[in-house]
Amino acid sequence: MKLHGQYLKLHSQHGGAEEASVTLDELAHILGCTHRNALHVINKLTEQGWICWTPSRGRGRRSSLKFLADAEEIALSSMKQAISSSDIRSSIEGIRGHARSSSLQDTLQGWLLAYFGHHSELRSDKRIDTLRLPVRQQLHNLDPLYMNLLAESFVSSHIFDGLVTRSGGAERISPGLAHAWEADGQRSTWTFHLRKDVLFHHGKVLSAEDVVYSFQRMMNTSQRMLYSNIFKDIREVKALNPVTVRFLLKQPNELFLPFLCTSRAAIVPRDLETAFAGGFGRRPAGTGPFKLIEMNEDLCTLEVFPYYFQGRAHLDRVEILHVPWNIMEAAPETSSAFHIIHNPASGGSAAWSRIHSEYSVRKFVTCNTKKQGLLSDPLVRADVLSCLGGFTSAGAELAGRLRGETGNEVVAQEAPMLQIATIPQYAGDAEAVAVKLNGCGYPCQVLSVSPEEFKGPVRLQADLIVFSLLRDQDEHLRLFDLYSTMVQHLEPQTRADIEGRLRVIAREPDSRIRAAGFQQIGDSLRQKHQLHILYEKPAETAYLPSVRGVTFNSQGWVDLRHLWFPPEL
């Protein structure tokens, strides 16, 4: 592939003429190498039959260079090699850098699409089924304690298991690593009975001490984590014997059992620190249906774990590749080889079946009313948020305050700059908010920081925060975490009110009453102009009829364990 790139570099500089007159100095400069290496490249290109090179003797003399191969064909060949070797980054750079014509763009996109989906091959008379999936988020860490992104959670959910799991809807909780459990009358003591002889991927047998280690690790962490308000309610976790674990809660919390279903509550091996030498996040071992084989910036490879306690998955191998653009935007009609598409583009082939998973993504803006400034005034907040609803700035009283109106005379005053904080995944939404507010006379700047930085003081220093809420089977947990976090940037009276409501919700066993309580908090924040919903987008998965076993996990992702593809007969 390197030789392909070198040819394309030379062609981009001298390919316009039928025959170019160049010096070895010029070629070395274009290729970024020494004279000797430049001559070596020229000889290689000549051997390939891609160029005709007629040298002239003497330093500084101009030689003749004629291009014999079509540049687009060389680019296509380079991309095919990159795709075949899973070098997706080179493929993407090549598509963007060398595919100047729309026809070549479409051809390369088609090759990339064909690379994904289901592929079957025979090895020693055994059928090996591989599924290749693209994700737009780059995977950084699969450790349940440190992961931040939905894509990481999706992969992690196939590597690890929890004590319990959701099955058949948000209300139904089924056995996981624990085959049974019970709570005392006060619902503050929970006892879990583990399955026997469950294996971790690295060969260790699961015991109650692994469960104790997993939760003590969470309880002792100093970093801000999703659902931390739930597991911080654990007073003690204790192994009663090798297959029995008891949790003592500081107070009854009806969200505790649902929390145990999440990927955050996954069980990790207690020898994590010694057996994995600090690399657990990129080389984890769980008890799940797939084990991690490889993980780098572009590719995450999973292989089936044949000893999985709930039965072997049908797929043999899953390759998850980072592709930082919507792979379906260009040519949905050419994607027949790609069998599973999460959140597909609208339109596309009629051959695709579509199914809605039970979740949606809600994007919203919150105001930092704890910070002294423009948004401390509820009238200003009302006007700012009305701009996001498609309205222009209005209100004589507000206009007078901002613009210094006195009688018929208008004294212009420069409005202070509003800072909008978000993370890179929502930077586009934040920029759209800034454009709308700038158009209404509220100058804004967007500060996009990493998820880790976002958990720190950045939010408390901003005026507006753009974020999202995943409305899935864990919605009550997510709302509890969201409002527990939001109170940190609300004025004391509103904070006290919300914290009181959350305490009541946590003790409520009826999920319908909990849902009503969360709705009341949201309504109150919107009425006080502290929360504005930008939009809500339902999730959808498209798949070809050849796919069998399409089911979803609690977050609305396709559960890879149940997927299978009938063989061609």
Side-chain angles (χ1 to χ4, degrees), residues 270-449:
R270 64 183 181 276
D271 62 345
L272 179 155
E273 295 177 8
T274 56
F276 299 91
F280 190 75
R282 300 188 71 85
R283 292 290 185 273
T287 60
F290 293 93
K291 58 183 179 180
L292 184 78
I293 300 301
E294 177 186 6
M295 180 173 167
N296 55 45
E297 291 181 340
D298 302 310
L299 173 67
C300 175
T301 302
L302 306 178
E303 283 190 359
V304 68
F305 185 51
Y307 311 107
Y308 186 53
F309 67 92
Q310 296 200 70
R312 187 194 192 279
H314 301 295
L315 290 170
D316 299 291
R317 184 179 176 94
V318 179
E319 296 176 1
I320 301 163
L321 296 106
H322 173 230
V323 179
W325 84 87
N326 189 345
I327 195 169
M328 288 301 294
E329 285 176 352
E333 297 293 338
T334 65
S335 57
S336 59
F338 187 42
H339 297 268
I340 298 290
I341 306 164
H342 190 65
N343 279 334
S346 59
S349 173
W352 291 89
S353 299
R354 291 171 182 259
I355 185 171
H356 286 278
S357 57
E358 299 178 359
Y359 92 95
S360 59
V361 177
R362 174 179 288 179
K363 297 290 179 66
F364 60 85
V365 177
T366 63
C367 299
N368 182 3
T369 57
K370 187 175 181 180
K371 177 182 176 181
Q372 293 299 313
L374 195 64
L375 299 185
S376 299
D377 189 326
L379 288 175
V380 176
R381 291 202 305 273
D383 189 67
V384 167
L385 296 185
S386 74
C387 296
L388 302 180
F391 300 100
T392 58
S393 296
E397 180 182 353
L398 177 63
R401 183 181 303 113
L402 292 180
R403 300 180 180 91
E405 290 188 4
T406 55
N408 294 325
E409 181 184 5
V410 179
V411 180
Q413 293 185 358
E414 184 178 350
M417 179 74 71
L418 295 176
Q419 186 175 82
I420 305 174
T422 192
I423 61 175
Q425 288 80 0
Y426 313 132
D429 295 298
E431 293 291 350
V433 167
V435 168
K436 279 196 172 185
L437 294 183
N438 281 322
C440 292
Y442 294 103
C444 298
Q445 63 179 7
V446 174
L447 176 63
S448 176
V449 298

Side-chain angles (χ1 to χ4, degrees), residues 8 31 46 57 73 107 119 128 157 168 283 286 300 309 326 430 467 483 489 521 548:
L8 292 168
L31 296 172
T46 302
R57 294 184 178 277
E73 290 298 323
T107 302
H119 299 267
I128 304 298
S157 69
R283 292 290 185 273
C300 175
F309 67 92
N326 189 345
F467 209 64
Y483 293 139
H489 58 260
I521 292 175
R548 301 288 191 272

Side-chain angles (χ1 to χ4, degrees), residues 90-269:
S90 294
S91 304
I92 294 167
E93 291 174 353
I95 289 173
R96 291 174 174 170
H98 304 309
R100 293 179 176 83
S101 70
S102 59
S103 61
L104 183 58
Q105 285 271 3
D106 292 343
T107 302
L108 293 175
Q109 284 276 13
W111 269 93
L112 193 57
L113 286 166
Y115 176 77
F116 289 107
H118 171 246
H119 299 267
S120 181
E121 60 180 313
L122 287 177
R123 296 180 190 171
S124 303
D125 295 327
K126 181 180 179 182
R127 171 175 151 143
I128 304 298
D129 287 301
T130 298
L131 181 63
R132 298 189 183 112
L133 296 174
V135 293
R136 296 186 68 179
Q137 294 178 337
Q138 190 174 30
L139 303 176
H140 300 285
N141 199 316
L142 299 180
D143 187 332
L145 191 65
Y146 298 107
M147 60 188 181
N148 288 306
L149 305 175
L150 281 177
E152 293 172 344
S153 180
F154 163 65
V155 177
S156 179
S157 69
H158 291 91
I159 297 174
F160 298 97
D161 291 293
L163 293 173
V164 291
T165 184
R166 293 191 187 275
S167 175
E171 297 302 312
R172 183 179 174 186
I173 295 180
S174 302
L177 293 174
H179 66 85
W181 62 91
E182 63 264 355
D184 69 346
Q186 299 298 316
R187 296 182 69 78
S188 58
T189 301
W190 294 76
T191 305
F192 292 84
H193 306 280
L194 305 182
R195 300 176 190 265
K196 295 180 180 178
D197 297 328
V198 172
L199 286 177
F200 283 102
H201 298 156
H202 65 317
K204 299 288 186 179
V205 176
L206 171 78
S207 78
E209 292 296 339
D210 296 298
V211 178
V212 171
Y213 172 80
S214 298
F215 282 92
Q216 286 182 341
R217 185 169 174 251
M218 274 189 283
M219 294 159 60
N220 294 332
T221 184
S222 59
Q223 74 172 42
R224 167 69 183 158
M225 271 183 57
L226 186 65
Y227 310 141
S228 61
N229 288 284
I230 308 298
F231 63 75
K232 293 295 185 183
D233 256 352
I234 301 173
R235 183 186 302 278
E236 181 186 35
V237 54
K238 183 178 182 181
L240 303 184
N241 58 51
V243 292
T244 311
V245 181
R246 177 164 293 167
F247 291 82
L248 301 179
L249 305 185
K250 298 174 183 176
Q251 54 194 354
N253 191 330
E254 294 299 329
L255 295 174
F256 173 67
L257 194 60
F259 163 69
L260 296 185
C261 300
T262 68
S263 54
R264 291 289 177 180
I267 304 305
V268 300

Side-chain angles (χ1 to χ4, degrees), residues 2 13 25 36 44 82 85 90 101 208 224 237 270 325 387 394 398 444 465 468 486 500 503 515 525 550:
K2 185 176 181 181
Q13 292 293 320
D25 278 339
R36 182 177 180 181
K44 285 285 187 181
S85 63
S90 294
S101 70
R224 167 69 183 158
V237 54
R270 64 183 181 276
W325 84 87
C387 296
L398 177 63
C444 298
I465 299 101
S468 75
M486 274 188 62
R503 283 193 292 269
L525 289 171
V550 178

Side-chain angles (χ1 to χ4, degrees), residues 456-497:
V458 169
R459 290 177 295 108
L460 300 181
Q461 296 165 359
D463 300 285
L464 296 165
I465 299 101
V466 173
F467 209 64
S468 75
L469 173 70
L470 183 61
R471 303 189 67 192
D472 56 6
Q473 293 180 7
D474 297 328
E475 182 179 4
H476 286 186
L477 284 166
R478 296 183 186 281
L479 285 169
F480 194 91
D481 192 81
L482 169 65
Y483 293 139
S484 297
T485 302
M486 274 188 62
V487 297
Q488 298 173 16
H489 58 260
L490 297 178
E491 74 278 1
Q493 183 176 351
T494 302
R495 175 171 185 163
D497 175 60

